[in-house]
Structures are given as C-alpha cells and as structure tokens.
Amino acid sequence: MAGPIEFYFDFSSPYGYLAAHRIEAVGAEFGRQVLWRPILLGAVFKATGQSPLVSQPLRGPYHLHDLQRTARRLKLPFQLPADFPMATIAAARAFYWADGQSALEAKRLALALFDAPFARGINISSTDSVASIALEAGFEPDQIRAGIGAPDIKERLKAETDRAIERGIFGSPFFIVDGEAFWGNDRIPDLRDWLKSGGW
C-alpha cells in the first residue's frame, strides 16, 4: 500500500490554512492517506532563528498581499485575526485529543480551527476560544477543555514538535511523502506532480 502524505502545520500559519483546504484532494486523487500533524512554530523558530513571515521587514507586506491573492484564486475567504501572530498550543492539543478519538473528526476540527482565525478573524489563542469553536463544530466543549489539559496530550504535542525539528521541518505547511519533503502551500502542485510521475 502506498505511504501517506504527512502534513505538518501550525494553526497560526495562514499558508497552512490555505493548504489545509487543498491537501486532502491530492491524497484522494492518488489514494494516499493524509496524516495531519500540528506542531508549534515557536519552537521551530527558536531552532532556525526565523520569525513569522508577515512580521518580517520587506517580506511581510509581500506575503500579506500574496496570501490575499492566493486566497482569491482558491476562492477561500481570508483575513488576519487581531493580535496576529497568535498562540496555538490549545488548538494543537485539542486536535491531538480529537485525533485520539477519530482521525477523520480531528481533521474536521482542524478545519474549523483554521477557518476561525483566517476566514472569520477569531483569535484562537485561549482554551475558551478553542472550546467555543469546537462546540460550533459539534464537539463537546468540556471534553475539549479536558483534552487540552491532559498530560499525555501535552506530551504528544511536545514530542511531535521535537520530532518534526529532528526531521528537518522548518515551516508550515510542510509535507513529506515517500521520504521527499515539500515546503509551502505553493509546492502542492509539485507534490502532486511527484506523485503522478513517481518522482524525478
């Protein structure tokens, strides 16, 4: 059986938001499972010395324009929430709790958590905001809160982030398929062509 597409992202990544609405179609086209793996870019930035793209001098205004332009092309709503960039520990922990129940349901929660900031302008930094969004998506908010605070979920997020850095993952979105790495929403067409051709 063909191996999965591993999809690494941070919920604070606007390019991750765009990719989250695209990658499952690629997986379905080629019969590849997509494994969603949220990580914490803050830890990654400490390892790389980088900062969020939209916060960087000169690059920031371009990336904001590019995000708006790309969202229009993909017919996705887009905005940056107030106080961006935002903390995403609660969102990532909520995902891993949901993933322990159902990978499919966890992906549905992930899309809701991506859409909240980047389609609706809602900051998802707090446990309460994550629980509220989860409730709208049909999840039990008390279970989400408990999952966010669970020691094993905290450890899983830390382990996933550490493992990502060990694997050389330095941004969001980041994809690995058949041992080949692709960084960025704009590399999804390359990833698709790689799968279609068998690599080059």
Side-chain angles (χ1 to χ4, degrees):
M1 181 177 178
I5 299 170
E6 297 178 83
F7 170 34
Y8 284 90
F9 60 90
D10 187 308
F11 282 108
S12 71
S13 166
Y15 284 111
Y17 156 70
L18 299 177
H21 281 277
R22 304 174 69 193
I23 192 59
E24 285 290 335
V26 177
E29 181 180 358
F30 295 98
R32 301 291 187 115
Q33 180 185 15
V34 182
L35 301 179
W36 292 44
R37 301 187 186 282
I39 58 173
L40 299 177
L41 277 183
V44 174
F45 289 156
K46 287 181 181 179
T48 63
Q50 295 295 305
S51 60
L53 289 174
V54 297
S55 302
Q56 295 177 18
L58 299 180
R59 295 181 69 183
Y62 169 81
H63 281 293
L64 181 56
H65 175 75
D66 181 61
L67 285 161
Q68 294 166 335
R69 177 178 60 195
T70 304
R72 288 195 303 270
R73 181 171 62 82
L74 297 174
K75 295 181 172 54
L76 291 170
F78 178 78
Q79 60 182 297
L80 288 181
D83 302 320
F84 182 84
M86 59 195 168
T88 56
I89 293 174
R93 289 179 182 171
F95 172 90
Y96 281 122
W97 174 84
D99 190 54
Q101 318 303 309
S102 162
L104 186 62
E105 287 297 288
K107 292 176 185 182
R108 191 168 64 80
L109 176 61
L111 285 174
L113 290 169
F114 262 133
D115 288 351
F118 297 118
R120 302 165 60 194
I122 300 171
N123 193 303
I124 60 169
S125 296
S126 71
T127 295
D128 284 345
S129 64
V130 170
S132 177
I133 293 158
L135 175 61
E136 292 178 3
F139 293 85
E140 172 50 56
D142 288 341
Q143 291 181 347
I144 293 291
R145 288 190 180 91
I148 289 170
D152 61 321
I153 300 300
K154 294 180 180 180
E155 181 54 37
R156 180 170 179 192
L157 175 57
K158 181 180 184 304
E160 293 282 1
T161 301
D162 290 345
R163 174 63 175 148
I165 293 170
E166 290 170 4
R167 298 182 74 186
I169 291 164
F170 53 82
S172 168
F174 205 104
F175 310 95
I176 298 177
V177 60
D178 300 338
E180 195 70 20
F182 296 87
W183 171 49
N185 174 67
D186 58 346
R187 286 291 182 258
I188 290 178
D190 286 356
L191 187 159
R192 183 187 174 277
D193 287 348
W194 182 273
L195 290 172
K196 184 177 182 179
S197 69
W200 54 84

